[in-house]
Coordinates of all heavy atoms in Angstrom, one line a residue:
R11 N 0.9 -1.2 0.0 CA 0.0 -0.1 0.0 C 0.9 1.3 0.0 O 0.5 2.2 -0.7 CB -1.0 0.0 1.3 CG -1.9 1.2 1.3 CD -2.9 1.4 0.1 NE -3.5 0.1 -0.2 CZ -4.7 -0.1 0.4 NH1 -5.4 0.8 1.2 NH2 -5.4 -1.2 0.1
V12 N 1.8 1.3 0.9 CA 2.8 2.4 0.9 C 3.5 2.7 -0.5 O 3.5 3.9 -0.9 CB 3.8 2.2 2.0 CG1 4.9 3.4 1.9 CG2 3.2 2.3 3.4
N13 N 3.8 1.6 -1.2 CA 4.6 1.8 -2.4 C 3.8 2.2 -3.6 O 4.3 2.4 -4.6 CB 5.4 0.5 -2.6 CG 6.5 0.3 -1.7 OD1 7.1 1.3 -1.1 ND2 6.9 -1.0 -1.5
L14 N 2.5 2.3 -3.3 CA 1.5 2.8 -4.4 C 1.7 4.4 -4.6 O 1.4 4.9 -5.6 CB 0.1 2.5 -4.2 CG -0.3 1.0 -4.1 CD1 -1.8 1.0 -3.7 CD2 -0.2 0.5 -5.6
F15 N 2.4 4.9 -3.6 CA 2.4 6.5 -3.7 C 3.9 6.9 -4.0 O 4.8 6.1 -4.0 CB 2.1 7.0 -2.2 CG 0.6 6.7 -1.9 CD1 0.2 5.4 -1.4 CD2 -0.3 7.7 -2.0 CE1 -1.2 5.3 -1.1 CE2 -1.7 7.6 -1.8 CZ -2.2 6.3 -1.3
P16 N 4.0 8.2 -4.4 CA 5.3 8.7 -4.7 C 6.3 8.5 -3.6 O 5.9 8.6 -2.4 CB 5.0 10.2 -5.1 CG 3.5 10.3 -5.4 CD 2.9 9.2 -4.6
K17 N 7.5 8.4 -4.1 CA 8.7 8.1 -3.0 C 8.6 9.1 -1.9 O 8.9 8.8 -0.7 CB 10.0 8.1 -3.6 CG 10.1 6.8 -4.4 CD 11.6 6.7 -5.0 CE 11.9 5.4 -5.8 NZ 13.3 5.3 -6.2
K18 N 8.5 10.5 -2.2 CA 8.5 11.5 -1.1 C 7.5 11.5 -0.1 O 7.6 12.0 0.9 CB 8.5 12.8 -1.8 CG 7.3 13.2 -2.5 CD 7.4 14.6 -3.1 CE 6.1 15.0 -3.8 NZ 6.1 16.4 -4.5
Q19 N 6.4 10.7 -0.4 CA 5.3 10.5 0.5 C 5.3 9.3 1.3 O 4.6 9.1 2.3 CB 3.9 10.6 -0.3 CG 3.7 11.9 -0.9 CD 2.3 11.8 -1.7 OE1 1.5 11.0 -1.6 NE2 2.1 12.8 -2.6
R20 N 6.3 8.4 0.9 CA 6.2 7.0 1.5 C 6.5 7.0 3.0 O 5.8 6.2 3.7 CB 7.0 6.1 0.8 CG 6.5 5.8 -0.7 CD 7.4 5.0 -1.4 NE 6.9 4.8 -2.9 CZ 7.6 4.2 -3.8 NH1 8.8 3.6 -3.6 NH2 7.2 4.2 -5.1
A21 N 7.6 7.7 3.4 CA 7.9 7.6 4.9 C 6.8 8.2 5.8 O 6.5 7.5 6.7 CB 9.1 8.5 5.2
G22 N 6.2 9.3 5.3 CA 5.1 9.8 6.1 C 3.8 8.8 6.2 O 3.2 8.6 7.1
L23 N 3.5 8.2 4.9 CA 2.4 7.2 4.9 C 2.7 6.0 5.8 O 1.8 5.5 6.4 CB 2.2 6.8 3.5 CG 1.4 7.8 2.7 CD1 1.4 7.4 1.2 CD2 0.0 7.9 3.1
S24 N 4.0 5.5 5.6 CA 4.4 4.3 6.4 C 4.1 4.6 8.0 O 3.6 3.8 8.8 CB 5.8 3.9 6.2 OG 6.1 2.8 6.8
Y25 N 4.6 5.8 8.3 CA 4.3 6.1 9.8 C 2.9 6.2 10.1 O 2.5 5.6 11.1 CB 5.1 7.6 10.0 CG 4.9 8.0 11.4 CD1 5.7 7.6 12.3 CD2 4.0 9.0 11.8 CE1 5.7 8.0 13.7 CE2 3.8 9.5 13.2 CZ 4.7 8.8 14.1 OH 4.6 9.3 15.4
S26 N 2.1 6.9 9.3 CA 0.7 7.0 9.7 C 0.0 5.7 9.8 O -0.8 5.4 10.7 CB 0.0 8.0 8.8 OG 0.5 9.2 8.9
I27 N 0.3 4.8 8.7 CA -0.3 3.5 8.7 C 0.2 2.7 9.9 O -0.7 1.9 10.6 CB 0.0 2.8 7.3 CG1 -0.7 3.5 6.2 CG2 -0.4 1.3 7.4 CD1 -0.3 3.0 4.8
S28 N 1.5 2.7 10.2 CA 2.1 1.9 11.2 C 1.4 2.3 12.6 O 1.1 1.5 13.4 CB 3.5 1.9 11.3 OG 4.0 3.3 11.7
K29 N 1.1 3.6 12.7 CA 0.5 4.0 14.1 C -1.0 3.7 14.1 O -1.4 3.4 15.2 CB 0.9 5.5 14.2 CG 2.4 5.8 14.5 CD 2.9 5.1 15.7 CE 4.2 5.5 16.1 NZ 4.9 4.8 17.4
N30 N -1.6 3.8 13.1 CA -3.0 3.4 13.0 C -3.1 1.9 13.3 O -4.0 1.5 14.2 CB -3.6 3.6 11.6 CG -5.0 3.3 11.6 OD1 -5.4 2.1 11.4 ND2 -6.0 4.2 11.8
F31 N -2.1 1.1 12.8 CA -2.2 -0.3 13.1 C -1.9 -0.5 14.6 O -2.6 -1.4 15.2 CB -1.1 -1.0 12.3 CG -0.8 -2.3 12.8 CD1 -1.6 -3.3 12.6 CD2 0.3 -2.6 13.5 CE1 -1.5 -4.7 13.2 CE2 0.7 -3.9 14.1 CZ -0.3 -4.9 13.9
V32 N -1.1 0.2 15.2 CA -0.7 0.0 16.7 C -1.9 0.2 17.5 O -2.2 -0.7 18.3 CB 0.4 1.0 17.1 CG1 0.5 1.0 18.6 CG2 1.7 0.7 16.4
S33 N -2.8 1.2 17.3 CA -4.0 1.3 18.1 C -4.9 0.2 17.8 O -5.6 -0.4 18.6 CB -4.6 2.7 17.8 OG -5.0 2.8 16.5
W34 N -5.2 -0.2 16.5 CA -6.0 -1.2 16.0 C -5.5 -2.6 16.9 O -6.5 -3.3 17.3 CB -6.0 -1.5 14.6 CG -6.9 -2.6 14.0 CD1 -8.1 -2.5 13.7 CD2 -6.4 -4.0 13.9 NE1 -8.6 -3.8 13.2 CE2 -7.5 -4.7 13.4 CE3 -5.3 -4.6 14.1 CZ2 -7.5 -6.0 13.1 CZ3 -5.3 -6.0 13.8 CH2 -6.2 -6.7 13.3
Y35 N -4.4 -2.8 16.7 CA -3.7 -4.1 17.2 C -3.9 -4.1 18.7 O -4.2 -5.3 19.3 CB -2.3 -4.2 16.8 CG -1.6 -5.4 17.2 CD1 -1.9 -6.7 16.7 CD2 -0.5 -5.4 18.1 CE1 -1.1 -7.9 17.0 CE2 0.3 -6.5 18.5 CZ -0.1 -7.8 17.9 OH 0.5 -8.9 18.2
S36 N -3.6 -3.1 19.4 CA -3.7 -3.1 20.8 C -5.2 -3.4 21.3 O -5.4 -4.1 22.2 CB -3.2 -1.7 21.4 OG -1.9 -1.4 21.0
K37 N -6.1 -2.8 20.6 CA -7.5 -3.1 20.8 C -7.8 -4.6 20.7 O -8.5 -5.3 21.4 CB -8.5 -2.2 20.0 CG -8.5 -0.7 20.3 CD -9.2 0.1 19.2 CE -9.1 1.6 19.5 NZ -9.7 2.4 18.5
K38 N -7.5 -5.1 19.6 CA -7.7 -6.6 19.1 C -7.0 -7.5 20.0 O -7.4 -8.6 20.1 CB -7.4 -6.8 17.7 CG -8.2 -6.0 16.6 CD -9.5 -6.4 16.7 CE -10.4 -5.7 15.6 NZ -11.9 -6.0 15.7
S39 N -6.0 -7.2 20.7 CA -5.3 -8.0 21.6 C -5.8 -8.0 23.1 O -5.4 -8.8 23.9 CB -3.8 -7.7 21.7 OG -3.2 -7.7 20.4
A40 N -6.8 -7.2 23.4 CA -7.3 -6.9 24.8 C -7.8 -8.3 25.3 O -7.6 -8.6 26.5 CB -8.3 -5.9 24.7
A41 N -8.5 -9.1 24.5 CA -9.2 -10.2 25.0 C -8.1 -11.3 25.4 O -8.2 -12.0 26.5 CB -10.1 -10.9 24.0
Q42 N -7.0 -11.5 24.6 CA -6.0 -12.4 25.0 C -5.3 -12.0 26.3 O -5.0 -12.8 27.1 CB -4.9 -12.4 23.9 CG -5.4 -13.1 22.6 CD -4.4 -12.9 21.5 OE1 -4.1 -11.9 20.9 NE2 -3.7 -14.1 21.2
F43 N -5.0 -10.6 26.5 CA -4.5 -10.2 27.8 C -5.4 -10.3 29.0 O -5.1 -10.7 30.0 CB -4.0 -8.8 27.7 CG -2.7 -8.5 27.1 CD1 -2.6 -8.7 25.7 CD2 -1.6 -8.2 27.8 CE1 -1.3 -8.6 25.1 CE2 -0.4 -8.1 27.3 CZ -0.1 -8.2 25.9
G44 N -6.7 -10.1 28.6 CA -7.8 -10.2 29.7 C -7.8 -11.6 30.2 O -8.1 -11.8 31.3
A45 N -7.7 -12.6 29.3 CA -7.7 -14.0 29.7 C -6.6 -14.3 30.8 O -6.8 -15.2 31.7 CB -7.6 -14.9 28.5
K46 N -5.6 -13.5 30.9 CA -4.5 -13.7 31.9 C -4.7 -12.6 33.0 O -3.7 -12.6 33.8 CB -3.2 -13.5 31.2 CG -2.9 -14.7 30.2 CD -1.4 -14.6 29.8 CE -1.0 -15.9 29.2 NZ 0.5 -16.0 29.1
G47 N -5.9 -11.9 32.9 CA -5.9 -10.9 34.0 C -5.0 -9.7 33.9 O -4.9 -8.9 34.8
A48 N -4.5 -9.6 32.6 CA -3.7 -8.4 32.3 C -4.4 -7.5 31.3 O -5.5 -7.7 30.9 CB -2.5 -8.9 31.7
R49 N -3.7 -6.4 31.1 CA -4.3 -5.3 30.2 C -3.4 -4.8 29.1 O -2.1 -5.0 29.2 CB -4.5 -4.0 31.1 CG -5.7 -4.2 32.2 CD -6.0 -3.0 32.8 NE -4.8 -2.4 33.7 CZ -4.3 -1.1 33.5 NH1 -4.9 -0.4 32.6 NH2 -3.4 -0.7 34.2
I50 N -3.9 -4.3 28.1 CA -3.1 -3.7 27.0 C -4.0 -2.5 26.4 O -5.3 -2.5 26.4 CB -2.9 -4.7 25.8 CG1 -2.1 -4.0 24.7 CG2 -4.2 -5.3 25.4 CD1 -1.7 -5.0 23.6
L51 N -3.3 -1.4 26.1 CA -3.9 -0.3 25.5 C -2.9 0.6 24.9 O -1.6 0.3 25.0 CB -4.6 0.6 26.7 CG -3.7 1.2 27.7 CD1 -3.7 2.8 27.7 CD2 -4.2 0.6 29.1
S52 N -3.3 1.5 24.0 CA -2.3 2.4 23.4 C -2.7 3.9 23.7 O -3.7 4.3 24.1 CB -2.3 2.2 21.9 OG -3.7 2.4 21.4
I53 N -1.7 4.7 23.5 CA -1.8 6.1 23.7 C -1.4 6.8 22.4 O -0.2 6.5 21.9 CB -1.1 6.6 25.0 CG1 -1.6 6.1 26.3 CG2 -1.0 8.1 25.0 CD1 -0.9 6.4 27.5
S54 N -2.0 7.7 21.9 CA -1.8 8.5 20.7 C -1.3 9.9 21.1 O -2.2 10.8 21.2 CB -2.9 8.4 19.7 OG -3.1 7.2 19.2
P55 N 0.0 10.2 21.1 CA 0.6 11.5 21.3 C 0.3 12.4 20.1 O 0.3 11.9 19.0 CB 2.0 11.3 21.7 CG 2.2 9.9 21.9 CD 1.1 9.2 21.1

């Protein structure tokens, strides 16, 4: 997906996509952590 865009935009796109993924992944992992009585969350500065 990143490589569909011009080279000068790729670093910024990779950053934005990777960070969107981090919040998505942290949410989707909550049940696995909860099964152990543990927690997971993300913070977006």
Side-chain angles (χ1 to χ4, degrees):
R11 182 58 56 89
V12 169
N13 291 333
L14 289 175
F15 293 83
K17 285 186 177 181
K18 65 179 181 180
Q19 298 177 11
R20 290 177 188 173
L23 281 169
S24 186
Y25 180 77
S26 295
I27 290 171
S28 68
K29 291 300 188 178
N30 182 274
F31 166 76
V32 168
S33 59
W34 178 92
Y35 182 68
S36 299
K37 293 174 185 177
K38 294 296 183 180
S39 299
Q42 292 177 290
F43 276 78
K46 292 194 166 189
R49 297 185 294 123
I50 180 174
L51 60 119
S52 59
I53 292 174
S54 287

